[in-house]
Amino acid sequence: MKRALLVLLPLALLLAACQRETGPDPLKLTGKMFVFNYRLAYATYLVTLEKTQPLAEGSIVRAEFENPAGGAPLTLERKLFASLPRVVLESPDVTCVKKNHPYRVSIRVLGPDGEQLQSLETQVTSSLDQDILPAKPLVIGPAYEKNPAVFKDGKAPAHFETATCAG
């Protein structure tokens, strides 16, 4: 019996050391905004988080962003790395962003075993409508060459067509 305890006790202590203690949430929301890329004619959500607690290797973060055009939320999943103190979540491209309208963002932190460690709910509100963006990218390709669909014969149009919301 003593021999079994001598073997099981260190094993139990080792397993207990691997468990995350309940306490403060592992991530803290530090920033949120919409990013409008005028050159490439797209908008995205950008959410930043800072680690406040260490997370086990293999942990992930899942985010759901309300789709401003309607329909299903846009989703994103990122692996969390122990060596990186911050997490940056950038959504897929969005359309139909309206000024002063709050859009929902839901974030879940999951451990390597899939157990939910944290859940965050927030809203992102834009100070601009998406129609400030051009309808087509102004540049194309890796060298950011003028988009021939916008710049006819290399010359800028008298008026740039702006993005519209089909949703």
Side-chain angles (χ1 to χ4, degrees), residues 5 14 23 31 35 42 63 84 88 90 147 166:
L5 281 175
L14 182 62
V35 174
Y42 71 82
L84 298 177
V88 178
E90 186 171 12
N147 184 348

Side-chain angles (χ1 to χ4, degrees), residues 13 41 47 54 62-64 72 78 83 93 96 105 111 121 129 150 154:
L13 290 173
V47 176
R62 284 192 185 139
E64 283 190 352
R78 290 281 185 262
S83 62
D93 295 358
C96 300
V105 177
E121 295 283 333
D129 282 326
V150 176

Side-chain angles (χ1 to χ4, degrees), residues 33-37 41-46 65-70 72-75 90-98 103-104 124 126 130-131 133 163-165:
M33 66 181 185
F34 280 100
V35 174
F36 292 92
N37 187 319
Y42 71 82
T44 60
Y45 286 88
L46 187 70
F65 303 91
E66 181 178 348
N67 187 342
L74 306 166
T75 60
E90 186 171 12
S91 74
D93 295 358
V94 295
T95 58
C96 300
V97 176
K98 296 294 176 199
Y103 295 98
R104 187 183 69 75
V124 180
S126 175
Q130 188 161 349
D131 64 5
L133 291 175
T164 58
C165 179

Side-chain angles (χ1 to χ4, degrees), residues 9-89:
L9 185 59
L11 183 59
L13 290 173
L14 182 62
L15 287 174
C18 292
Q19 298 295 316
R20 180 181 169 269
E21 292 181 22
T22 53
D25 289 329
L27 297 178
K28 176 177 80 170
L29 182 68
T30 56
K32 57 185 181 175
M33 66 181 185
F34 280 100
V35 174
F36 292 92
N37 187 319
Y38 194 81
R39 280 188 193 184
L40 299 177
Y42 71 82
T44 60
Y45 286 88
L46 187 70
V47 176
T48 58
L49 305 153
E50 188 172 325
K51 283 186 191 169
T52 59
Q53 299 289 317
L55 287 162
E57 191 67 35
S59 295
I60 60 169
V61 63
R62 284 192 185 139
E64 283 190 352
F65 303 91
E66 181 178 348
N67 187 342
L74 306 166
T75 60
L76 177 71
E77 182 174 297
R78 290 281 185 262
K79 182 177 177 183
L80 296 172
F81 296 96
S83 62
L84 298 177
R86 287 177 198 80
V87 179
V88 178
L89 304 174

